[in-house]
Amino acid sequence: MVWLFGSFTLFTWLSGKYGWDIQVSTIRGIGGLLSIPIQAIGIYMAMQNIKQISGSLTYGRAVKTGLVVAVTIATVVAIFSLLYCTVINPGYAEFMVHDAQKTMIAKGESQQDISQASVAVRNEFSAGMQVMQALVGQFVTGTIMSLIIGLFIKTKKKSA
């Protein structure tokens, strides 16, 4: 959560300060992609802790552990997304719309296309949609990572 919102704020500021002209949705997307290893490390560490505490770890227990972490992360990010969009930065959706419009104008798109796209962007970056994206995105990513990491971290059966 700290990475997601901190990197967005930092790189948006840097882009504006140094004239990099990077679209903020691109910054947001890159920050989201870079958060995947952070979530994977958290899931891995949780599985390792369970394995150390219990002495062994089945694949099923590893996946369950990863799912608990994924649900926790999804919930925390969703709550923070709601707070960010409604309290911390209530103009977030309009900021994203304005940035998208600026990009479309630079590409020479028609006013009708810009108006239609603006409605879609406004909906995509609304508080409710941000909460849903956090819940679904973080949970799905965490589930996939749990299934993969669990294969490698589970206790190997000793052959007789």
Side-chain angles (χ1 to χ4, degrees):
M1 178 188 73
V2 171
W3 166 257
L4 288 171
F5 294 99
S7 66
F8 175 77
T9 302
L10 176 64
F11 290 114
T12 300
W13 175 76
L14 286 172
S15 178
K17 179 174 173 76
Y18 294 107
W20 296 341
D21 203 31
I22 302 171
Q23 192 173 3
V24 290
S25 60
T26 300
I27 293 170
R28 186 176 176 272
I30 292 170
L33 287 174
L34 293 175
S35 74
I36 292 172
I38 296 169
Q39 187 178 20
I41 290 167
I43 289 171
Y44 173 81
M45 289 173 58
M47 289 178 183
Q48 279 288 64
N49 284 338
I50 296 296
K51 189 175 183 178
Q52 280 183 332
I53 291 168
S54 65
S56 68
L57 185 67
T58 65
Y59 180 69
R61 183 122 187 241
V63 171
K64 285 180 191 175
T65 301
L67 290 176
V68 168
V69 173
V71 167
T72 303
I73 290 170
T75 302
V76 169
V77 172
I79 290 168
F80 191 80
S81 294
L82 180 64
L83 291 173
Y84 183 81
C85 292
T86 58
V87 177
I88 297 169
N89 188 3
Y92 174 70
E94 287 307 313
F95 172 72
M96 297 301 283
V97 168
H98 177 70
D99 188 68
Q101 289 172 339
K102 186 173 72 173
T103 301
M104 290 183 279
I105 290 168
K107 289 181 180 178
E109 295 190 25
S110 71
Q111 188 58 44
Q112 182 181 0
D113 289 343
I114 293 171
S115 294
Q116 288 174 344
S118 295
V119 171
V121 171
R122 190 172 285 107
N123 290 335
E124 178 183 350
F125 292 102
S126 68
M129 191 57 100
Q130 292 303 293
V131 169
M132 286 305 297
Q133 287 177 10
L135 286 171
V136 173
Q138 297 295 326
F139 179 73
V140 169
T141 303
T143 299
I144 292 167
M145 285 188 281
S146 298
L147 293 168
I148 295 168
I149 295 169
L151 289 171
F152 295 100
I153 202 166
K154 69 180 181 176
T155 302
K156 312 295 187 257
K157 293 184 181 179
K158 295 181 182 177
S159 42

